Amino acid sequence: MYIQLLTAAAEAPKSSFGFWEAMEEGGPVAWSILAVMVIMSVGSFYILFTKLFEQNKVMKQYKSVRTNFWRTNSLKEGATKLDKNSAWRQLVDDALIAEEKHAKLSDQMEAHDWMHGSLARSEHAIQAKLNGGLPFLATVGATAPFVGLLGTVIGIYRALINIGVAGSASIDKVAGPVGEALIMTAIGLLVAVPAVFAYNWLQSRNRKIFDMMSGFSTDLLANINSGGTIKPATMTATSTQTAGKAAAGRTVPGAKPAAGTTTTTTTTKR
């Protein structure tokens, strides 16, 4: 009797469960949904790294604007200090073109509005380029869970069909479709969550760049309207330390010295 039980257990069919088995259970529909998920994920990470590279490049170029551009005698000379394909060079070139054209306007208010509008159009063009690809991340973050939910629904539907055909909810009839359903749900979340994080992070960095461009455009407009006399104050670390030491060395009449400090007074003989 014992030998018969061992023989029956040895001859029992072995069921294997895993990712590939679950996908084979789903058939062409499951593989199609997986392919869509892979495309979404690859596209999201591609946009993340390319946009991150563009943003870092623009921010790095801004340091050159603060240190070299405003030290020149004119905007044309300063433009030569900037990279030809940089966003900041585009703003300067558009500002110079607008300056040449606004001299033909007789009304000063119209000339100011023309200059302001020209710089605004240039800013919007750069913003559109930096925002390129972000709608795809937003779409992936919004739709990937639902694509995974579609695979979940199909997997549960297959499990119910197997239960109905077999007449019993045995584990070997339900495990495959249910495993496929759970896998699709997990894949949908794994694709959506990084896309949402990437979208929000890139958007916050873009807003920071847009604020820099807005301030730079204002400085350009003020410089042009003042004939080159108005320039933003650019203080280096050395000048800041020098100014701090000079301020610390000054004494205010009537002010009491801080605790723990000594003051020296000098008398002049008349």
Side-chain angles (χ1 to χ4, degrees), residues 75-234:
L75 294 182
K76 291 183 179 180
E77 182 182 352
T80 60
K81 303 293 185 180
L82 304 176
D83 296 338
K84 293 183 178 180
N85 296 326
S86 67
W88 311 104
R89 177 67 179 269
Q90 179 179 337
L91 287 174
V92 176
D93 290 342
D94 291 341
L96 293 174
I97 294 173
E99 182 184 12
E100 295 176 358
K101 293 182 178 179
H102 99 286
K104 300 178 182 180
L105 299 175
S106 58
D107 191 349
Q108 293 297 324
M109 289 299 296
E110 292 181 357
H112 180 272
D113 293 340
W114 164 258
M115 290 289 300
H116 189 273
S118 298
L119 288 174
R121 287 194 297 269
S122 183
E123 288 181 38
H124 293 327
I126 298 172
Q127 291 176 8
K129 183 178 180 180
L130 289 175
N131 284 329
L134 296 187
F136 179 82
L137 292 178
T139 302
V140 171
T143 59
F146 295 101
V147 176
L149 182 62
L150 175 62
T152 302
V153 172
I154 294 175
I156 297 298
Y157 176 70
R158 291 179 182 277
L160 294 175
I161 291 178
N162 291 341
I163 292 173
V165 172
S168 63
S170 58
I171 190 64
D172 58 335
K173 301 296 182 182
V174 179
V178 172
E180 172 200 347
L182 296 177
I183 289 173
M184 288 301 175
T185 303
I187 293 176
L189 294 176
L190 289 175
V191 173
V193 172
V196 172
F197 274 103
Y199 175 80
N200 292 330
W201 187 38
L202 294 177
Q203 279 282 45
S204 64
R205 289 169 61 89
N206 276 346
R207 284 192 293 268
K208 183 178 179 180
I209 294 174
F210 299 158
D211 291 338
M212 294 178 183
M213 289 184 178
S214 178
F216 183 64
S217 297
T218 303
D219 294 336
L220 288 175
L221 187 61
N223 183 270
I224 291 174
N225 290 336
S226 65
T229 58
I230 297 179
K231 293 183 179 181
T234 56

